PDB file of all heavy atoms in Angstrom:
ATOM      1  N   PRO A  95      43.173 159.055 235.745  1.00 34.00           N
ATOM      2  CA  PRO A  95      44.271 159.167 236.696  1.00 34.00           C
ATOM      3  C   PRO A  95      44.591 160.613 237.094  1.00 34.00           C
ATOM      4  O   PRO A  95      44.982 160.805 238.201  1.00 34.00           O
ATOM      5  CB  PRO A  95      45.486 158.568 235.871  1.00 34.00           C
ATOM      6  CG  PRO A  95      44.855 157.492 235.083  1.00 34.00           C
ATOM      7  CD  PRO A  95      43.463 158.105 234.621  1.00 34.00           C
ATOM      8  N   ASP A 115      54.917 164.514 239.518  1.00 39.00           N
ATOM      9  CA  ASP A 115      55.190 163.432 238.543  1.00 39.00           C
ATOM     10  C   ASP A 115      56.061 163.964 237.477  1.00 39.00           C
ATOM     11  O   ASP A 115      55.796 164.949 236.769  1.00 39.00           O
ATOM     12  CB  ASP A 115      53.867 163.067 237.946  1.00 39.00           C
ATOM     13  CG  ASP A 115      54.002 161.947 237.020  1.00 39.00           C
ATOM     14  OD1 ASP A 115      55.065 161.265 236.991  1.00 39.00           O
ATOM     15  OD2 ASP A 115      53.045 161.661 236.343  1.00 39.00           O
ATOM     16  N   VAL A 307      59.065 153.169 231.310  1.00 92.00           N
ATOM     17  CA  VAL A 307      59.379 154.561 231.520  1.00 92.00           C
ATOM     18  C   VAL A 307      58.212 155.258 232.052  1.00 92.00           C
ATOM     19  O   VAL A 307      57.014 154.865 231.830  1.00 92.00           O
ATOM     20  CB  VAL A 307      59.908 155.132 230.124  1.00 92.00           C
ATOM     21  CG1 VAL A 307      59.873 156.702 230.112  1.00 92.00           C
ATOM     22  CG2 VAL A 307      61.197 154.641 229.708  1.00 92.00           C
ATOM     23  N   ASN A 308      58.427 156.346 232.833  1.00 89.00           N
ATOM     24  CA  ASN A 308      57.317 157.156 233.359  1.00 89.00           C
ATOM     25  C   ASN A 308      56.228 157.461 232.379  1.00 89.00           C
ATOM     26  O   ASN A 308      56.507 157.846 231.223  1.00 89.00           O
ATOM     27  CB  ASN A 308      57.800 158.554 233.763  1.00 89.00           C
ATOM     28  CG  ASN A 308      59.039 158.543 234.478  1.00 89.00           C
ATOM     29  OD1 ASN A 308      60.022 157.914 234.082  1.00 89.00           O
ATOM     30  ND2 ASN A 308      59.142 159.397 235.554  1.00 89.00           N
ATOM     31  N   GLY A 309      55.025 157.284 232.815  1.00 91.00           N
ATOM     32  CA  GLY A 309      53.874 157.773 231.987  1.00 91.00           C
ATOM     33  C   GLY A 309      53.497 156.858 230.837  1.00 91.00           C
ATOM     34  O   GLY A 309      52.665 157.139 229.997  1.00 91.00           O
ATOM     35  N   THR A 310      54.166 155.698 230.672  1.00 94.00           N
ATOM     36  CA  THR A 310      53.916 154.806 229.546  1.00 94.00           C
ATOM     37  C   THR A 310      52.601 154.029 229.799  1.00 94.00           C
ATOM     38  O   THR A 310      52.134 153.349 228.937  1.00 94.00           O
ATOM     39  CB  THR A 310      55.075 153.817 229.246  1.00 94.00           C
ATOM     40  OG1 THR A 310      55.373 153.198 230.484  1.00 94.00           O
ATOM     41  CG2 THR A 310      56.272 154.604 228.704  1.00 94.00           C
ATOM     42  N   GLY A 311      52.073 154.098 231.058  1.00 94.00           N
ATOM     43  CA  GLY A 311      50.730 153.499 231.259  1.00 94.00           C
ATOM     44  C   GLY A 311      50.859 152.236 232.185  1.00 94.00           C
ATOM     45  O   GLY A 311      49.946 151.378 232.104  1.00 94.00           O
ATOM     46  N   LYS A 312      51.870 152.104 232.976  1.00 95.00           N
ATOM     47  CA  LYS A 312      52.016 150.914 233.785  1.00 95.00           C
ATOM     48  C   LYS A 312      50.840 150.748 234.817  1.00 95.00           C
ATOM     49  O   LYS A 312      50.217 149.734 234.776  1.00 95.00           O
ATOM     50  CB  LYS A 312      53.323 151.013 234.641  1.00 95.00           C
ATOM     51  CG  LYS A 312      54.546 150.966 233.822  1.00 95.00           C
ATOM     52  CD  LYS A 312      55.778 150.949 234.796  1.00 95.00           C
ATOM     53  CE  LYS A 312      55.967 152.331 235.466  1.00 95.00           C
ATOM     54  NZ  LYS A 312      56.199 153.486 234.668  1.00 95.00           N
ATOM     55  N   THR A 313      50.572 151.815 235.562  1.00 95.00           N
ATOM     56  CA  THR A 313      49.566 151.645 236.561  1.00 95.00           C
ATOM     57  C   THR A 313      48.187 151.431 235.929  1.00 95.00           C
ATOM     58  O   THR A 313      47.369 150.582 236.477  1.00 95.00           O
ATOM     59  CB  THR A 313      49.518 152.923 237.502  1.00 95.00           C
ATOM     60  OG1 THR A 313      50.887 153.213 237.936  1.00 95.00           O
ATOM     61  CG2 THR A 313      48.684 152.752 238.697  1.00 95.00           C
ATOM     62  N   THR A 314      47.837 152.169 234.945  1.00 95.00           N
ATOM     63  CA  THR A 314      46.568 152.022 234.296  1.00 95.00           C
ATOM     64  C   THR A 314      46.444 150.566 233.722  1.00 95.00           C
ATOM     65  O   THR A 314      45.398 149.956 233.842  1.00 95.00           O
ATOM     66  CB  THR A 314      46.489 153.061 233.169  1.00 95.00           C
ATOM     67  OG1 THR A 314      46.752 154.344 233.651  1.00 95.00           O
ATOM     68  CG2 THR A 314      45.029 153.033 232.549  1.00 95.00           C
ATOM     69  N   LYS A 318      43.789 147.601 234.366  1.00 97.00           N
ATOM     70  CA  LYS A 318      42.994 146.867 233.352  1.00 97.00           C
ATOM     71  C   LYS A 318      43.147 145.337 233.375  1.00 97.00           C
ATOM     72  O   LYS A 318      42.191 144.559 233.237  1.00 97.00           O
ATOM     73  CB  LYS A 318      43.342 147.358 232.024  1.00 97.00           C
ATOM     74  CG  LYS A 318      43.051 148.862 231.755  1.00 97.00           C
ATOM     75  CD  LYS A 318      43.633 149.247 230.357  1.00 97.00           C
ATOM     76  CE  LYS A 318      43.400 150.723 230.028  1.00 97.00           C
ATOM     77  NZ  LYS A 318      44.188 151.124 228.755  1.00 97.00           N
ATOM     78  N   ASP A 336      55.666 151.351 243.072  1.00 88.00           N
ATOM     79  CA  ASP A 336      56.104 152.661 242.687  1.00 88.00           C
ATOM     80  C   ASP A 336      56.106 153.497 243.930  1.00 88.00           C
ATOM     81  O   ASP A 336      55.249 154.326 244.131  1.00 88.00           O
ATOM     82  CB  ASP A 336      55.192 153.249 241.625  1.00 88.00           C
ATOM     83  CG  ASP A 336      55.627 154.619 241.145  1.00 88.00           C
ATOM     84  OD1 ASP A 336      56.605 155.123 241.740  1.00 88.00           O
ATOM     85  OD2 ASP A 336      55.080 155.130 240.142  1.00 88.00           O
ATOM     86  N   ARG A 339      56.371 157.840 243.976  1.00 83.00           N
ATOM     87  CA  ARG A 339      55.418 158.804 243.709  1.00 83.00           C
ATOM     88  C   ARG A 339      54.039 158.525 244.512  1.00 83.00           C
ATOM     89  O   ARG A 339      53.527 157.425 244.328  1.00 83.00           O
ATOM     90  CB  ARG A 339      55.008 158.792 242.224  1.00 83.00           C
ATOM     91  CG  ARG A 339      54.942 160.143 241.548  1.00 83.00           C
ATOM     92  CD  ARG A 339      54.803 160.026 240.081  1.00 83.00           C
ATOM     93  NE  ARG A 339      53.930 159.052 239.561  1.00 83.00           N
ATOM     94  CZ  ARG A 339      52.701 159.333 239.211  1.00 83.00           C
ATOM     95  NH1 ARG A 339      52.129 160.480 239.512  1.00 83.00           N
ATOM     96  NH2 ARG A 339      51.856 158.372 238.717  1.00 83.00           N
ATOM     97  N   ALA A 342      50.942 157.679 242.653  1.00 89.00           N
ATOM     98  CA  ALA A 342      50.955 156.349 241.975  1.00 89.00           C
ATOM     99  C   ALA A 342      50.419 155.379 242.977  1.00 89.00           C
ATOM    100  O   ALA A 342      49.675 154.384 242.660  1.00 89.00           O
ATOM    101  CB  ALA A 342      52.329 156.052 241.466  1.00 89.00           C
ATOM    102  N   GLN A 345      46.688 155.899 243.315  1.00 93.00           N
ATOM    103  CA  GLN A 345      46.120 155.412 242.093  1.00 93.00           C
ATOM    104  C   GLN A 345      45.849 154.005 242.023  1.00 93.00           C
ATOM    105  O   GLN A 345      44.852 153.467 241.635  1.00 93.00           O
ATOM    106  CB  GLN A 345      47.046 155.922 240.865  1.00 93.00           C
ATOM    107  CG  GLN A 345      46.463 155.943 239.559  1.00 93.00           C
ATOM    108  CD  GLN A 345      47.440 156.499 238.515  1.00 93.00           C
ATOM    109  OE1 GLN A 345      48.187 157.361 238.839  1.00 93.00           O
ATOM    110  NE2 GLN A 345      47.497 155.881 237.400  1.00 93.00           N
ATOM    111  N   GLY A 391      58.260 154.572 237.548  1.00 78.00           N
ATOM    112  CA  GLY A 391      58.647 154.948 236.167  1.00 78.00           C
ATOM    113  C   GLY A 391      60.083 155.410 236.269  1.00 78.00           C
ATOM    114  O   GLY A 391      60.425 156.228 237.183  1.00 78.00           O
ATOM    115  N   THR A 452      50.514 150.851 224.825  1.00 95.00           N
ATOM    116  CA  THR A 452      49.384 151.729 225.229  1.00 95.00           C
ATOM    117  C   THR A 452      49.171 152.873 224.372  1.00 95.00           C
ATOM    118  O   THR A 452      49.966 153.152 223.489  1.00 95.00           O
ATOM    119  CB  THR A 452      49.681 152.176 226.690  1.00 95.00           C
ATOM    120  OG1 THR A 452      50.782 153.070 226.631  1.00 95.00           O
ATOM    121  CG2 THR A 452      50.004 151.075 227.635  1.00 95.00           C
ATOM    122  N   LYS A 453      48.023 153.500 224.509  1.00 92.00           N
ATOM    123  CA  LYS A 453      47.735 154.771 223.884  1.00 92.00           C
ATOM    124  C   LYS A 453      47.546 154.672 222.350  1.00 92.00           C
ATOM    125  O   LYS A 453      47.890 155.610 221.693  1.00 92.00           O
ATOM    126  CB  LYS A 453      48.675 155.848 224.324  1.00 92.00           C
ATOM    127  CG  LYS A 453      48.855 156.001 225.753  1.00 92.00           C
ATOM    128  CD  LYS A 453      49.648 157.171 226.228  1.00 92.00           C
ATOM    129  CE  LYS A 453      50.074 157.031 227.657  1.00 92.00           C
ATOM    130  NZ  LYS A 453      50.920 158.160 228.174  1.00 92.00           N
ATOM    131  N   ASP A 455      45.047 154.580 220.946  1.00 87.00           N
ATOM    132  CA  ASP A 455      43.802 155.348 220.497  1.00 87.00           C
ATOM    133  C   ASP A 455      44.167 156.758 220.347  1.00 87.00           C
ATOM    134  O   ASP A 455      43.285 157.566 219.818  1.00 87.00           O
ATOM    135  CB  ASP A 455      42.782 155.236 221.680  1.00 87.00           C
ATOM    136  CG  ASP A 455      43.300 155.654 223.045  1.00 87.00           C
ATOM    137  OD1 ASP A 455      44.355 155.150 223.377  1.00 87.00           O
ATOM    138  OD2 ASP A 455      42.778 156.513 223.706  1.00 87.00           O
ATOM    139  N   GLY A 478      46.622 148.964 224.567  1.00 93.00           N
ATOM    140  CA  GLY A 478      45.699 149.880 225.249  1.00 93.00           C
ATOM    141  C   GLY A 478      45.128 150.790 224.281  1.00 93.00           C
ATOM    142  O   GLY A 478      45.793 151.504 223.509  1.00 93.00           O
ATOM    143  N   VAL A 479      43.811 150.904 224.359  1.00 90.00           N
ATOM    144  CA  VAL A 479      43.068 151.777 223.366  1.00 90.00           C
ATOM    145  C   VAL A 479      42.158 152.741 224.084  1.00 90.00           C
ATOM    146  O   VAL A 479      41.177 153.110 223.596  1.00 90.00           O
ATOM    147  CB  VAL A 479      42.207 150.917 222.387  1.00 90.00           C
ATOM    148  CG1 VAL A 479      43.172 150.252 221.337  1.00 90.00           C
ATOM    149  CG2 VAL A 479      41.381 149.834 223.103  1.00 90.00           C
ATOM    150  N   GLY A 480      42.619 153.229 225.253  1.00 89.00           N
ATOM    151  CA  GLY A 480      41.819 154.119 225.961  1.00 89.00           C
ATOM    152  C   GLY A 480      42.234 154.131 227.455  1.00 89.00           C
ATOM    153  O   GLY A 480      42.948 153.297 227.886  1.00 89.00           O
ATOM    154  N   GLU A 481      41.646 155.041 228.200  1.00 91.00           N
ATOM    155  CA  GLU A 481      41.932 155.165 229.628  1.00 91.00           C
ATOM    156  C   GLU A 481      41.008 154.304 230.531  1.00 91.00           C
ATOM    157  O   GLU A 481      41.185 154.187 231.695  1.00 91.00           O
ATOM    158  CB  GLU A 481      41.874 156.611 230.125  1.00 91.00           C
ATOM    159  CG  GLU A 481      42.947 157.428 229.389  1.00 91.00           C
ATOM    160  CD  GLU A 481      42.917 158.837 229.964  1.00 91.00           C
ATOM    161  OE1 GLU A 481      42.115 159.683 229.319  1.00 91.00           O
ATOM    162  OE2 GLU A 481      43.627 159.228 230.803  1.00 91.00           O
TER     163      GLU A 481
HETATM  164  N1  GTP B 601      44.421 157.414 225.741  1.00 87.29           N
HETATM  165  C1  GTP B 601      45.130 156.550 226.538  1.00 87.29           C
HETATM  166  N2  GTP B 601      45.709 156.908 227.662  1.00 87.29           N
HETATM  167  C2  GTP B 601      46.268 155.982 228.417  1.00 87.29           C
HETATM  168  C3  GTP B 601      46.331 154.636 228.072  1.00 87.29           C
HETATM  169  N3  GTP B 601      46.963 153.946 229.039  1.00 87.29           N
HETATM  170  C4  GTP B 601      47.293 154.902 229.959  1.00 87.29           C
HETATM  171  N4  GTP B 601      46.900 156.072 229.608  1.00 87.29           N
HETATM  172  C5  GTP B 601      47.053 157.366 230.322  1.00 87.29           C
HETATM  173  O1  GTP B 601      48.461 157.680 230.411  1.00 87.29           O
HETATM  174  C6  GTP B 601      48.753 158.433 231.569  1.00 87.29           C
HETATM  175  C7  GTP B 601      49.877 157.771 232.317  1.00 87.29           C
HETATM  176  O2  GTP B 601      49.439 156.402 232.742  1.00 87.29           O
HETATM  177  P1  GTP B 601      49.941 155.837 234.079  1.00 87.29           P
HETATM  178  O3  GTP B 601      49.287 154.494 234.184  1.00 87.29           O
HETATM  179  O4  GTP B 601      49.874 156.657 235.265  1.00 87.29           O
HETATM  180  O5  GTP B 601      51.446 155.636 233.669  1.00 87.29           O
HETATM  181  P2  GTP B 601      52.701 155.097 234.508  1.00 87.29           P
HETATM  182  O6  GTP B 601      53.612 154.392 233.622  1.00 87.29           O
HETATM  183  O7  GTP B 601      52.125 154.226 235.680  1.00 87.29           O
HETATM  184  O8  GTP B 601      53.312 156.451 235.052  1.00 87.29           O
HETATM  185  P3  GTP B 601      54.267 156.750 236.213  1.00 87.29           P
HETATM  186  O9  GTP B 601      53.550 156.317 237.485  1.00 87.29           O
HETATM  187  O10 GTP B 601      54.644 158.254 236.105  1.00 87.29           O
HETATM  188  O11 GTP B 601      55.471 155.871 236.100  1.00 87.29           O
HETATM  189  C8  GTP B 601      47.419 158.497 232.347  1.00 87.29           C
HETATM  190  O12 GTP B 601      46.785 159.694 232.116  1.00 87.29           O
HETATM  191  C9  GTP B 601      46.624 157.345 231.748  1.00 87.29           C
HETATM  192  O13 GTP B 601      45.257 157.562 231.890  1.00 87.29           O
HETATM  193  C10 GTP B 601      45.726 154.217 226.846  1.00 87.29           C
HETATM  194  O14 GTP B 601      45.776 153.031 226.423  1.00 87.29           O
HETATM  195  N5  GTP B 601      45.171 155.169 226.090  1.00 87.29           N
END
Side-chain angles (χ1 to χ4, degrees):
D115 185 12
V307 165
N308 317 43
T310 50
K312 291 182 295 298
T313 311
T314 309
K318 294 172 179 175
D336 183 352
R339 228 170 42 90
Q345 195 176 321
T452 64
K453 309 189 194 178
D455 53 308
V479 287
E481 295 180 276

